[in-house]
PDB file of all heavy atoms in Angstrom:
ATOM      1  N   ARG A 878      -7.467  11.095  18.843  1.00  0.00           N
ATOM      2  CA  ARG A 878      -6.259  11.710  19.405  1.00  0.00           C
ATOM      3  C   ARG A 878      -6.153  13.176  18.985  1.00  0.00           C
ATOM      4  O   ARG A 878      -5.448  13.959  19.626  1.00  0.00           O
ATOM      5  CB  ARG A 878      -5.018  10.949  18.940  1.00  0.00           C
ATOM      6  CG  ARG A 878      -4.837   9.612  19.658  1.00  0.00           C
ATOM      7  CD  ARG A 878      -3.826   8.720  18.957  1.00  0.00           C
ATOM      8  NE  ARG A 878      -2.540   9.365  18.708  1.00  0.00           N
ATOM      9  CZ  ARG A 878      -1.547   9.471  19.585  1.00  0.00           C
ATOM     10  NH1 ARG A 878      -1.702   8.956  20.804  1.00  0.00           N
ATOM     11  NH2 ARG A 878      -0.412  10.074  19.270  1.00  0.00           N
ATOM     12  N   GLY A 879      -6.818  13.533  17.888  1.00  0.00           N
ATOM     13  CA  GLY A 879      -6.897  14.932  17.476  1.00  0.00           C
ATOM     14  C   GLY A 879      -5.599  15.518  16.946  1.00  0.00           C
ATOM     15  O   GLY A 879      -5.378  16.734  17.050  1.00  0.00           O
ATOM     16  N   MET A 880      -4.733  14.680  16.361  1.00  0.00           N
ATOM     17  CA  MET A 880      -3.441  15.158  15.856  1.00  0.00           C
ATOM     18  C   MET A 880      -3.308  15.010  14.344  1.00  0.00           C
ATOM     19  O   MET A 880      -2.234  15.158  13.794  1.00  0.00           O
ATOM     20  CB  MET A 880      -2.298  14.413  16.563  1.00  0.00           C
ATOM     21  CG  MET A 880      -2.288  14.601  18.070  1.00  0.00           C
ATOM     22  SD  MET A 880      -0.975  13.637  18.863  1.00  0.00           S
ATOM     23  CE  MET A 880      -1.345  13.885  20.594  1.00  0.00           C
ATOM     24  N   ASN A 881      -4.405  14.663  13.689  1.00  0.00           N
ATOM     25  CA  ASN A 881      -4.416  14.515  12.224  1.00  0.00           C
ATOM     26  C   ASN A 881      -3.606  13.311  11.744  1.00  0.00           C
ATOM     27  O   ASN A 881      -3.295  13.194  10.553  1.00  0.00           O
ATOM     28  CB  ASN A 881      -3.903  15.792  11.556  1.00  0.00           C
ATOM     29  CG  ASN A 881      -4.644  16.122  10.281  1.00  0.00           C
ATOM     30  OD1 ASN A 881      -5.793  15.720  10.107  1.00  0.00           O
ATOM     31  ND2 ASN A 881      -4.005  16.838   9.387  1.00  0.00           N
ATOM     32  N   GLU A 882      -3.268  12.409  12.677  1.00  0.00           N
ATOM     33  CA  GLU A 882      -2.404  11.277  12.330  1.00  0.00           C
ATOM     34  C   GLU A 882      -3.104  10.232  11.471  1.00  0.00           C
ATOM     35  O   GLU A 882      -2.443   9.382  10.860  1.00  0.00           O
ATOM     36  CB  GLU A 882      -1.887  10.608  13.613  1.00  0.00           C
ATOM     37  CG  GLU A 882      -1.037  11.503  14.479  1.00  0.00           C
ATOM     38  CD  GLU A 882      -0.960  10.996  15.913  1.00  0.00           C
ATOM     39  OE1 GLU A 882      -2.010  10.594  16.449  1.00  0.00           O
ATOM     40  OE2 GLU A 882       0.141  11.009  16.488  1.00  0.00           O
ATOM     41  N   GLU A 883      -4.442  10.288  11.420  1.00  0.00           N
ATOM     42  CA  GLU A 883      -5.181   9.301  10.636  1.00  0.00           C
ATOM     43  C   GLU A 883      -4.780   9.327   9.156  1.00  0.00           C
ATOM     44  O   GLU A 883      -4.913   8.322   8.449  1.00  0.00           O
ATOM     45  CB  GLU A 883      -6.691   9.501  10.785  1.00  0.00           C
ATOM     46  CG  GLU A 883      -7.228  10.830  10.323  1.00  0.00           C
ATOM     47  CD  GLU A 883      -7.140  11.937  11.366  1.00  0.00           C
ATOM     48  OE1 GLU A 883      -6.548  11.699  12.449  1.00  0.00           O
ATOM     49  OE2 GLU A 883      -7.657  13.028  11.090  1.00  0.00           O
ATOM     50  N   LYS A 884      -4.250  10.450   8.679  1.00  0.00           N
ATOM     51  CA  LYS A 884      -3.816  10.551   7.283  1.00  0.00           C
ATOM     52  C   LYS A 884      -2.665   9.594   6.983  1.00  0.00           C
ATOM     53  O   LYS A 884      -2.442   9.228   5.832  1.00  0.00           O
ATOM     54  CB  LYS A 884      -3.400  11.983   6.971  1.00  0.00           C
ATOM     55  CG  LYS A 884      -4.558  12.969   6.965  1.00  0.00           C
ATOM     56  CD  LYS A 884      -4.090  14.367   6.597  1.00  0.00           C
ATOM     57  CE  LYS A 884      -5.255  15.345   6.550  1.00  0.00           C
ATOM     58  NZ  LYS A 884      -4.816  16.729   6.193  1.00  0.00           N
ATOM     59  N   LEU A 885      -1.940   9.206   8.009  1.00  0.00           N
ATOM     60  CA  LEU A 885      -0.791   8.307   7.823  1.00  0.00           C
ATOM     61  C   LEU A 885      -1.225   6.893   7.440  1.00  0.00           C
ATOM     62  O   LEU A 885      -0.397   6.077   7.031  1.00  0.00           O
ATOM     63  CB  LEU A 885       0.048   8.268   9.102  1.00  0.00           C
ATOM     64  CG  LEU A 885       0.716   9.594   9.497  1.00  0.00           C
ATOM     65  CD1 LEU A 885       1.314   9.499  10.899  1.00  0.00           C
ATOM     66  CD2 LEU A 885       1.781   9.995   8.493  1.00  0.00           C
ATOM     67  N   LEU A 886      -2.521   6.602   7.578  1.00  0.00           N
ATOM     68  CA  LEU A 886      -3.039   5.273   7.221  1.00  0.00           C
ATOM     69  C   LEU A 886      -3.355   5.150   5.730  1.00  0.00           C
ATOM     70  O   LEU A 886      -3.706   4.055   5.270  1.00  0.00           O
ATOM     71  CB  LEU A 886      -4.306   4.964   8.023  1.00  0.00           C
ATOM     72  CG  LEU A 886      -4.145   4.846   9.542  1.00  0.00           C
ATOM     73  CD1 LEU A 886      -5.513   4.692  10.191  1.00  0.00           C
ATOM     74  CD2 LEU A 886      -3.245   3.670   9.905  1.00  0.00           C
ATOM     75  N   ALA A 887      -3.201   6.221   4.977  1.00  0.00           N
ATOM     76  CA  ALA A 887      -3.574   6.206   3.550  1.00  0.00           C
ATOM     77  C   ALA A 887      -2.956   5.047   2.775  1.00  0.00           C
ATOM     78  O   ALA A 887      -3.642   4.407   1.956  1.00  0.00           O
ATOM     79  CB  ALA A 887      -3.207   7.543   2.906  1.00  0.00           C
ATOM     80  N   PRO A 888      -1.675   4.696   2.985  1.00  0.00           N
ATOM     81  CA  PRO A 888      -1.102   3.567   2.238  1.00  0.00           C
ATOM     82  C   PRO A 888      -1.838   2.252   2.482  1.00  0.00           C
ATOM     83  O   PRO A 888      -1.928   1.419   1.574  1.00  0.00           O
ATOM     84  CB  PRO A 888       0.334   3.493   2.755  1.00  0.00           C
ATOM     85  CG  PRO A 888       0.628   4.856   3.268  1.00  0.00           C
ATOM     86  CD  PRO A 888      -0.661   5.359   3.828  1.00  0.00           C
ATOM     87  N   LEU A 889      -2.392   2.069   3.689  1.00  0.00           N
ATOM     88  CA  LEU A 889      -3.090   0.819   3.980  1.00  0.00           C
ATOM     89  C   LEU A 889      -4.407   0.741   3.233  1.00  0.00           C
ATOM     90  O   LEU A 889      -4.796  -0.333   2.752  1.00  0.00           O
ATOM     91  CB  LEU A 889      -3.311   0.677   5.487  1.00  0.00           C
ATOM     92  CG  LEU A 889      -2.033   0.673   6.343  1.00  0.00           C
ATOM     93  CD1 LEU A 889      -2.380   0.406   7.802  1.00  0.00           C
ATOM     94  CD2 LEU A 889      -1.037  -0.351   5.841  1.00  0.00           C
ATOM     95  N   TYR A 890      -5.097   1.849   3.113  1.00  0.00           N
ATOM     96  CA  TYR A 890      -6.337   1.861   2.322  1.00  0.00           C
ATOM     97  C   TYR A 890      -6.033   1.572   0.849  1.00  0.00           C
ATOM     98  O   TYR A 890      -6.791   0.863   0.175  1.00  0.00           O
ATOM     99  CB  TYR A 890      -7.055   3.201   2.474  1.00  0.00           C
ATOM    100  CG  TYR A 890      -7.761   3.358   3.794  1.00  0.00           C
ATOM    101  CD1 TYR A 890      -7.329   4.277   4.740  1.00  0.00           C
ATOM    102  CD2 TYR A 890      -8.876   2.571   4.102  1.00  0.00           C
ATOM    103  CE1 TYR A 890      -7.983   4.421   5.959  1.00  0.00           C
ATOM    104  CE2 TYR A 890      -9.539   2.716   5.321  1.00  0.00           C
ATOM    105  CZ  TYR A 890      -9.090   3.633   6.240  1.00  0.00           C
ATOM    106  OH  TYR A 890      -9.750   3.763   7.452  1.00  0.00           O
ATOM    107  N   GLN A 891      -4.916   2.096   0.357  1.00  0.00           N
ATOM    108  CA  GLN A 891      -4.523   1.821  -1.028  1.00  0.00           C
ATOM    109  C   GLN A 891      -4.230   0.346  -1.224  1.00  0.00           C
ATOM    110  O   GLN A 891      -4.632  -0.257  -2.237  1.00  0.00           O
ATOM    111  CB  GLN A 891      -3.299   2.663  -1.397  1.00  0.00           C
ATOM    112  CG  GLN A 891      -3.570   4.161  -1.454  1.00  0.00           C
ATOM    113  CD  GLN A 891      -2.291   4.982  -1.554  1.00  0.00           C
ATOM    114  OE1 GLN A 891      -1.185   4.446  -1.661  1.00  0.00           O
ATOM    115  NE2 GLN A 891      -2.442   6.300  -1.515  1.00  0.00           N
ATOM    116  N   ARG A 892      -3.564  -0.262  -0.255  1.00  0.00           N
ATOM    117  CA  ARG A 892      -3.249  -1.693  -0.355  1.00  0.00           C
ATOM    118  C   ARG A 892      -4.524  -2.534  -0.337  1.00  0.00           C
ATOM    119  O   ARG A 892      -4.631  -3.531  -1.053  1.00  0.00           O
ATOM    120  CB  ARG A 892      -2.312  -2.101   0.783  1.00  0.00           C
ATOM    121  CG  ARG A 892      -0.934  -1.457   0.691  1.00  0.00           C
ATOM    122  CD  ARG A 892      -0.075  -1.736   1.923  1.00  0.00           C
ATOM    123  NE  ARG A 892       1.095  -0.870   1.938  1.00  0.00           N
ATOM    124  CZ  ARG A 892       2.040  -0.884   2.878  1.00  0.00           C
ATOM    125  NH1 ARG A 892       1.938  -1.742   3.893  1.00  0.00           N
ATOM    126  NH2 ARG A 892       3.067  -0.055   2.807  1.00  0.00           N
ATOM    127  N   ILE A 893      -5.472  -2.146   0.500  1.00  0.00           N
ATOM    128  CA  ILE A 893      -6.746  -2.872   0.569  1.00  0.00           C
ATOM    129  C   ILE A 893      -7.489  -2.749  -0.761  1.00  0.00           C
ATOM    130  O   ILE A 893      -8.007  -3.743  -1.291  1.00  0.00           O
ATOM    131  CB  ILE A 893      -7.592  -2.354   1.743  1.00  0.00           C
ATOM    132  CG1 ILE A 893      -6.955  -2.772   3.079  1.00  0.00           C
ATOM    133  CG2 ILE A 893      -9.032  -2.871   1.654  1.00  0.00           C
ATOM    134  CD1 ILE A 893      -7.534  -2.084   4.301  1.00  0.00           C
ATOM    135  N   ASP A 894      -7.519  -1.550  -1.320  1.00  0.00           N
ATOM    136  CA  ASP A 894      -8.213  -1.339  -2.598  1.00  0.00           C
ATOM    137  C   ASP A 894      -7.570  -2.149  -3.721  1.00  0.00           C
ATOM    138  O   ASP A 894      -8.272  -2.699  -4.584  1.00  0.00           O
ATOM    139  CB  ASP A 894      -8.198   0.145  -2.979  1.00  0.00           C
ATOM    140  CG  ASP A 894      -9.129   0.985  -2.106  1.00  0.00           C
ATOM    141  OD1 ASP A 894     -10.012   0.394  -1.442  1.00  0.00           O
ATOM    142  OD2 ASP A 894      -8.955   2.212  -2.073  1.00  0.00           O
ATOM    143  N   MET A 895      -6.233  -2.243  -3.696  1.00  0.00           N
ATOM    144  CA  MET A 895      -5.503  -2.919  -4.771  1.00  0.00           C
ATOM    145  C   MET A 895      -5.266  -4.400  -4.477  1.00  0.00           C
ATOM    146  O   MET A 895      -4.697  -5.112  -5.312  1.00  0.00           O
ATOM    147  CB  MET A 895      -4.154  -2.221  -4.989  1.00  0.00           C
ATOM    148  CG  MET A 895      -4.241  -0.754  -5.388  1.00  0.00           C
ATOM    149  SD  MET A 895      -5.005  -0.512  -6.991  1.00  0.00           S
ATOM    150  CE  MET A 895      -3.741  -1.185  -8.058  1.00  0.00           C
ATOM    151  N   ARG A 896      -5.717  -4.871  -3.298  1.00  0.00           N
ATOM    152  CA  ARG A 896      -5.498  -6.266  -2.889  1.00  0.00           C
ATOM    153  C   ARG A 896      -4.009  -6.621  -2.937  1.00  0.00           C
ATOM    154  O   ARG A 896      -3.598  -7.633  -3.509  1.00  0.00           O
ATOM    155  CB  ARG A 896      -6.278  -7.236  -3.784  1.00  0.00           C
ATOM    156  CG  ARG A 896      -7.777  -7.017  -3.846  1.00  0.00           C
ATOM    157  CD  ARG A 896      -8.416  -7.400  -2.519  1.00  0.00           C
ATOM    158  NE  ARG A 896      -9.866  -7.529  -2.619  1.00  0.00           N
ATOM    159  CZ  ARG A 896     -10.736  -6.564  -2.318  1.00  0.00           C
ATOM    160  NH1 ARG A 896     -10.292  -5.374  -1.934  1.00  0.00           N
ATOM    161  NH2 ARG A 896     -12.029  -6.763  -2.395  1.00  0.00           N
ATOM    162  N   THR A 897      -3.193  -5.767  -2.333  1.00  0.00           N
ATOM    163  CA  THR A 897      -1.754  -5.975  -2.446  1.00  0.00           C
ATOM    164  C   THR A 897      -1.056  -5.605  -1.149  1.00  0.00           C
ATOM    165  O   THR A 897      -1.678  -5.183  -0.177  1.00  0.00           O
ATOM    166  CB  THR A 897      -1.184  -5.144  -3.618  1.00  0.00           C
ATOM    167  OG1 THR A 897       0.151  -5.583  -3.907  1.00  0.00           O
ATOM    168  CG2 THR A 897      -1.179  -3.655  -3.311  1.00  0.00           C
ATOM    169  N   ASN A 898       0.247  -5.779  -1.125  1.00  0.00           N
ATOM    170  CA  ASN A 898       1.138  -5.309  -0.068  1.00  0.00           C
ATOM    171  C   ASN A 898       2.488  -5.039  -0.728  1.00  0.00           C
ATOM    172  O   ASN A 898       2.666  -5.329  -1.925  1.00  0.00           O
ATOM    173  CB  ASN A 898       1.218  -6.314   1.094  1.00  0.00           C
ATOM    174  CG  ASN A 898       1.665  -7.692   0.653  1.00  0.00           C
ATOM    175  OD1 ASN A 898       2.580  -7.852  -0.159  1.00  0.00           O
ATOM    176  ND2 ASN A 898       1.017  -8.727   1.188  1.00  0.00           N
ATOM    177  N   PRO A 899       3.455  -4.470  -0.014  1.00  0.00           N
ATOM    178  CA  PRO A 899       4.714  -4.117  -0.682  1.00  0.00           C
ATOM    179  C   PRO A 899       5.438  -5.294  -1.331  1.00  0.00           C
ATOM    180  O   PRO A 899       6.059  -5.134  -2.386  1.00  0.00           O
ATOM    181  CB  PRO A 899       5.546  -3.515   0.450  1.00  0.00           C
ATOM    182  CG  PRO A 899       4.536  -2.970   1.401  1.00  0.00           C
ATOM    183  CD  PRO A 899       3.400  -3.943   1.366  1.00  0.00           C
ATOM    184  N   ALA A 900       5.373  -6.479  -0.715  1.00  0.00           N
ATOM    185  CA  ALA A 900       6.035  -7.645  -1.308  1.00  0.00           C
ATOM    186  C   ALA A 900       5.380  -8.029  -2.627  1.00  0.00           C
ATOM    187  O   ALA A 900       6.056  -8.306  -3.631  1.00  0.00           O
ATOM    188  CB  ALA A 900       6.000  -8.822  -0.339  1.00  0.00           C
ATOM    189  N   LYS A 901       4.038  -8.065  -2.647  1.00  0.00           N
ATOM    190  CA  LYS A 901       3.324  -8.405  -3.882  1.00  0.00           C
ATOM    191  C   LYS A 901       3.595  -7.372  -4.975  1.00  0.00           C
ATOM    192  O   LYS A 901       3.775  -7.720  -6.149  1.00  0.00           O
ATOM    193  CB  LYS A 901       1.821  -8.480  -3.614  1.00  0.00           C
ATOM    194  CG  LYS A 901       1.371  -9.703  -2.831  1.00  0.00           C
ATOM    195  CD  LYS A 901      -0.144  -9.695  -2.679  1.00  0.00           C
ATOM    196  CE  LYS A 901      -0.640 -10.925  -1.931  1.00  0.00           C
ATOM    197  NZ  LYS A 901      -2.119 -10.905  -1.773  1.00  0.00           N
ATOM    198  N   THR A 902       3.628  -6.100  -4.585  1.00  0.00           N
ATOM    199  CA  THR A 902       3.895  -5.046  -5.567  1.00  0.00           C
ATOM    200  C   THR A 902       5.288  -5.194  -6.153  1.00  0.00           C
ATOM    201  O   THR A 902       5.480  -5.054  -7.373  1.00  0.00           O
ATOM    202  CB  THR A 902       3.732  -3.662  -4.912  1.00  0.00           C
ATOM    203  OG1 THR A 902       2.389  -3.525  -4.435  1.00  0.00           O
ATOM    204  CG2 THR A 902       4.028  -2.553  -5.900  1.00  0.00           C
ATOM    205  N   MET A 903       6.262  -5.477  -5.307  1.00  0.00           N
ATOM    206  CA  MET A 903       7.623  -5.656  -5.798  1.00  0.00           C
ATOM    207  C   MET A 903       7.701  -6.815  -6.788  1.00  0.00           C
ATOM    208  O   MET A 903       8.330  -6.714  -7.852  1.00  0.00           O
ATOM    209  CB  MET A 903       8.585  -5.909  -4.638  1.00  0.00           C
ATOM    210  CG  MET A 903      10.033  -6.096  -5.088  1.00  0.00           C
ATOM    211  SD  MET A 903      11.161  -6.513  -3.743  1.00  0.00           S
ATOM    212  CE  MET A 903      10.579  -8.140  -3.313  1.00  0.00           C
ATOM    213  N   LEU A 904       7.057  -7.942  -6.459  1.00  0.00           N
ATOM    214  CA  LEU A 904       7.088  -9.101  -7.353  1.00  0.00           C
ATOM    215  C   LEU A 904       6.359  -8.812  -8.654  1.00  0.00           C
ATOM    216  O   LEU A 904       6.775  -9.276  -9.726  1.00  0.00           O
ATOM    217  CB  LEU A 904       6.496 -10.318  -6.648  1.00  0.00           C
ATOM    218  CG  LEU A 904       7.326 -10.870  -5.484  1.00  0.00           C
ATOM    219  CD1 LEU A 904       6.557 -11.957  -4.747  1.00  0.00           C
ATOM    220  CD2 LEU A 904       8.662 -11.414  -5.977  1.00  0.00           C
ATOM    221  N   TYR A 905       5.272  -8.048  -8.567  1.00  0.00           N
ATOM    222  CA  TYR A 905       4.550  -7.669  -9.790  1.00  0.00           C
ATOM    223  C   TYR A 905       5.453  -6.828 -10.691  1.00  0.00           C
ATOM    224  O   TYR A 905       5.519  -7.053 -11.908  1.00  0.00           O
ATOM    225  CB  TYR A 905       3.286  -6.891  -9.430  1.00  0.00           C
ATOM    226  CG  TYR A 905       2.602  -6.274 -10.625  1.00  0.00           C
ATOM    227  CD1 TYR A 905       1.792  -7.041 -11.466  1.00  0.00           C
ATOM    228  CD2 TYR A 905       2.784  -4.920 -10.927  1.00  0.00           C
ATOM    229  CE1 TYR A 905       1.180  -6.479 -12.581  1.00  0.00           C
ATOM    230  CE2 TYR A 905       2.176  -4.354 -12.043  1.00  0.00           C
ATOM    231  CZ  TYR A 905       1.382  -5.146 -12.858  1.00  0.00           C
ATOM    232  OH  TYR A 905       0.787  -4.586 -13.970  1.00  0.00           O
ATOM    233  N   LEU A 906       6.135  -5.849 -10.113  1.00  0.00           N
ATOM    234  CA  LEU A 906       7.034  -5.005 -10.896  1.00  0.00           C
ATOM    235  C   LEU A 906       8.165  -5.835 -11.499  1.00  0.00           C
ATOM    236  O   LEU A 906       8.536  -5.650 -12.664  1.00  0.00           O
ATOM    237  CB  LEU A 906       7.601  -3.890 -10.014  1.00  0.00           C
ATOM    238  CG  LEU A 906       6.606  -2.826  -9.546  1.00  0.00           C
ATOM    239  CD1 LEU A 906       7.240  -1.915  -8.502  1.00  0.00           C
ATOM    240  CD2 LEU A 906       6.100  -2.009 -10.721  1.00  0.00           C
ATOM    241  N   LYS A 907       8.700  -6.747 -10.707  1.00  0.00           N
ATOM    242  CA  LYS A 907       9.788  -7.606 -11.186  1.00  0.00           C
ATOM    243  C   LYS A 907       9.313  -8.475 -12.354  1.00  0.00           C
ATOM    244  O   LYS A 907      10.003  -8.607 -13.370  1.00  0.00           O
ATOM    245  CB  LYS A 907      10.286  -8.474 -10.032  1.00  0.00           C
ATOM    246  CG  LYS A 907      11.351  -9.505 -10.387  1.00  0.00           C
ATOM    247  CD  LYS A 907      11.855 -10.187  -9.124  1.00  0.00           C
ATOM    248  CE  LYS A 907      12.688 -11.410  -9.442  1.00  0.00           C
ATOM    249  NZ  LYS A 907      11.865 -12.563  -9.845  1.00  0.00           N
ATOM    250  N   ASP A 908       8.129  -9.068 -12.209  1.00  0.00           N
ATOM    251  CA  ASP A 908       7.585  -9.922 -13.272  1.00  0.00           C
ATOM    252  C   ASP A 908       7.216  -9.115 -14.512  1.00  0.00           C
ATOM    253  O   ASP A 908       7.116  -9.668 -15.612  1.00  0.00           O
ATOM    254  CB  ASP A 908       6.361 -10.690 -12.765  1.00  0.00           C
ATOM    255  CG  ASP A 908       6.727 -11.726 -11.711  1.00  0.00           C
ATOM    256  OD1 ASP A 908       7.919 -12.076 -11.617  1.00  0.00           O
ATOM    257  OD2 ASP A 908       5.823 -12.172 -10.981  1.00  0.00           O
ATOM    258  N   SER A 909       7.004  -7.812 -14.307  1.00  0.00           N
ATOM    259  CA  SER A 909       6.692  -6.929 -15.437  1.00  0.00           C
ATOM    260  C   SER A 909       7.962  -6.389 -16.099  1.00  0.00           C
ATOM    261  O   SER A 909       7.898  -5.436 -16.870  1.00  0.00           O
ATOM    262  CB  SER A 909       5.816  -5.762 -14.964  1.00  0.00           C
ATOM    263  OG  SER A 909       4.621  -6.228 -14.384  1.00  0.00           O
ATOM    264  N   LYS A 910       9.090  -6.994 -15.745  1.00  0.00           N
ATOM    265  CA  LYS A 910      10.389  -6.662 -16.339  1.00  0.00           C
ATOM    266  C   LYS A 910      10.940  -5.304 -15.896  1.00  0.00           C
ATOM    267  O   LYS A 910      11.829  -4.752 -16.551  1.00  0.00           O
ATOM    268  CB  LYS A 910      10.343  -6.713 -17.879  1.00  0.00           C
ATOM    269  CG  LYS A 910       9.784  -8.004 -18.463  1.00  0.00           C
ATOM    270  CD  LYS A 910      10.575  -9.221 -18.002  1.00  0.00           C
ATOM    271  CE  LYS A 910      10.002 -10.514 -18.610  1.00  0.00           C
ATOM    272  NZ  LYS A 910      10.677 -11.722 -18.091  1.00  0.00           N
ATOM    273  N   THR A 911      10.407  -4.769 -14.790  1.00  0.00           N
ATOM    274  CA  THR A 911      11.013  -3.573 -14.222  1.00  0.00           C
ATOM    275  C   THR A 911      12.364  -3.935 -13.634  1.00  0.00           C
ATOM    276  O   THR A 911      12.494  -4.934 -12.923  1.00  0.00           O
ATOM    277  CB  THR A 911      10.118  -2.973 -13.119  1.00  0.00           C
ATOM    278  OG1 THR A 911       8.821  -2.696 -13.656  1.00  0.00           O
ATOM    279  CG2 THR A 911      10.720  -1.685 -12.567  1.00  0.00           C
TER     280      THR A 911
END
């Protein structure tokens, strides 16, 4: 598309690398006493 929008996918690559999603991250933080 040539609009540089591919940078917006960065959070998904981070989730794939960390084997997580926002729900899992929230529960991890909660279980860590945050």
Side-chain angles (χ1 to χ4, degrees):
R878 285 166 53 83
M880 300 177 187
N881 217 25
E882 298 160 317
E883 61 275 6
K884 291 182 178 180
L885 296 170
L886 296 174
L889 301 185
Y890 285 112
Q891 293 169 4
R892 294 173 193 181
I893 290 168
D894 288 343
M895 300 295 291
R896 303 290 194 265
T897 193
N898 57 42
K901 287 182 179 179
T902 300
M903 180 184 68
L904 292 173
Y905 171 79
L906 292 171
K907 176 174 168 284
D908 292 343
S909 302
K910 308 302 180 185
T911 303

